[in-house]
Amino acid sequence: MVDPRKSVLPESFIQVADLAFCGAFGVSLAIFGIQFAYRYFVLTGHSFLATKKHRNFIIWLGSPLIFASIWTFSCATFMGRNEFVDQVLRENVLPNKLDNLEIDRLAFLGVIFFPKLENSTKTTINLDSFYAMGICSAVLSSTEFIMFFFAIKTYLATKSFMAQASGSTKLKRLQWQLFYATVSQSCIPIFFMQIPLTAIYISTFLNSSSIIFGQIQAITVSFYLATDALPTIFIIKPYRETILDYFRCINIDITFVWPKRRSGDTAGGTNSNIQAKLP
């Protein structure tokens, strides 16, 4: 949910921005699997998909957009507001958390599986939420399948390549480092994005969700963005050595100044001057 009073975007654009955000999430999910597929085809020298042609450029960049389009379509069609969602928002959300904001101004994307009937304690089934969960789960599962499938094939291809290659030990070590960096970069979004999202879906489906799950995912997504590049930096030796050499070249001069005791002072003091110098 986005409160238009707290957004810098035009009010008419907030719902579109919500959908764009979801589409970007779909792109991220697809990239995890696509990067393994691309590395596998490059490693095996696939003549159709690993050559420098405009066709391949479109295929590799267009594939994540296909997943993102399906994800966005699901959000736009089945995760928007309907009579069930509006009732829940009016009764539980707007009065308590949004200061009775007009419901038509609220940007919303989400799922409510078992809303209560109006003026009743009985619950009903919101089929739109089930459709949305089915499509998004299919996208999530397919990207994970692609990732694990090509991760295994990449491992076997790398192992075979290393056994047959007559190159230097340095080249072989670099190939393994590239593989491990790719694996690590895929594990990070699994823990920081996919697992929290799965927890939200399952808890919502069991009608036992809590706002803390959304807050946790908001934090973990930020961790993902901050840590995604670290495996490449620290696993691949040339990158790692460059970073470490940069910090080694920093000379820190620390000068401690002990002032003399002045007449009338009951205690002395210490001052320190710390300066970092780059050669």
Side-chain angles (χ1 to χ4, degrees):
M1 291 182 293
V2 179
D3 186 345
R5 298 167 300 183
K6 299 179 181 179
S7 174
V8 298
L9 298 175
E11 191 169 321
S12 58
F13 188 72
I14 296 177
Q15 186 71 16
V16 177
D18 245 0
L19 289 171
F21 176 80
C22 293
F25 188 83
V27 169
S28 299
L29 293 177
I31 288 177
F32 307 149
I34 295 300
Q35 65 178 346
F36 271 106
Y38 179 77
R39 173 153 177 75
Y40 170 75
F41 288 121
V42 170
L43 185 64
T44 55
H46 198 283
S47 59
F48 180 76
L49 293 173
T51 54
K52 295 180 180 180
K53 293 182 179 180
H54 296 297
R55 172 200 63 212
N56 295 335
F57 182 81
I58 295 174
I59 290 175
W60 291 116
L61 290 185
S63 298
L65 295 180
I66 293 175
F67 286 95
S69 299
I70 298 174
W71 189 278
T72 305
F73 168 80
S74 173
C75 293
T77 306
F78 302 113
M79 289 192 184
R81 291 190 1 243
N82 54 36
E83 57 179 324
F84 300 127
V85 173
D86 285 356
Q87 179 185 341
V88 173
L89 292 177
R90 287 194 186 97
E91 294 179 356
N92 301 323
V93 178
L94 298 182
N96 300 324
K97 299 179 181 179
L98 295 178
D99 300 324
N100 293 311
L101 175 74
E102 296 86 350
I103 194 170
D104 291 335
R105 298 179 57 193
L106 181 68
F108 174 87
L109 287 172
V111 291
I112 300 177
F113 292 105
F114 307 106
K116 292 182 179 180
L117 294 173
E118 190 172 1
N119 300 322
S120 175
T121 58
K122 295 182 179 180
T123 59
T124 185
I125 296 177
N126 183 10
L127 292 178
D128 281 355
S129 292
F130 281 91
Y131 296 149
M133 183 180 182
I135 295 175
C136 291
S137 297
V139 173
L140 183 65
S141 300
S142 61
T143 56
E144 290 180 345
F145 172 79
I146 292 173
M147 181 177 65
F148 286 112
F149 177 79
F150 281 103
I152 295 174
K153 291 183 72 68
T154 300
Y155 170 78
L156 296 176
T158 302
K159 188 175 181 180
S160 177
F161 176 77
M162 293 298 102
Q164 300 175 6
S166 57
S168 63
T169 304
K170 185 177 180 180
L171 174 62
K172 296 180 179 180
R173 187 182 299 115
L174 179 61
Q175 289 296 328
W176 280 117
Q177 289 172 357
L178 289 170
F179 173 76
Y180 292 137
T182 306
V183 172
S184 300
Q185 281 187 308
S186 297
C187 291
I188 288 175
I190 288 177
F191 285 104
F192 288 153
M193 293 178 66
Q194 293 179 326
I195 291 180
L197 178 65
T198 303
I200 290 175
Y201 275 170
I202 293 176
S203 62
T204 306
F205 177 75
L206 297 176
N207 204 26
S208 59
S209 183
S210 171
I211 192 173
I212 193 173
F213 291 123
Q215 295 171 341
I216 289 175
Q217 189 187 32
I219 296 174
T220 57
V221 166
S222 301
F223 277 119
Y224 155 68
L225 296 173
T227 59
D228 189 50
L230 295 182
T232 300
I233 293 175
F234 291 106
I235 292 178
I236 299 179
K237 187 176 180 180
Y239 293 160
R240 182 176 68 249
E241 290 182 342
T242 300
I243 296 296
L244 294 178
D245 288 343
Y246 173 79
F247 285 103
R248 291 192 190 104
C249 74
I250 299 177
N251 295 325
I252 300 178
D253 293 337
I254 302 178
T255 303
F256 291 95
V257 180
W258 299 81
K260 296 180 179 179
R261 187 191 299 269
R262 295 177 300 180
S263 60
D265 287 348
T266 58
T270 61
N271 292 325
S272 63
N273 181 23
I274 303 177
Q275 295 179 338
K277 296 182 179 180
L278 292 176

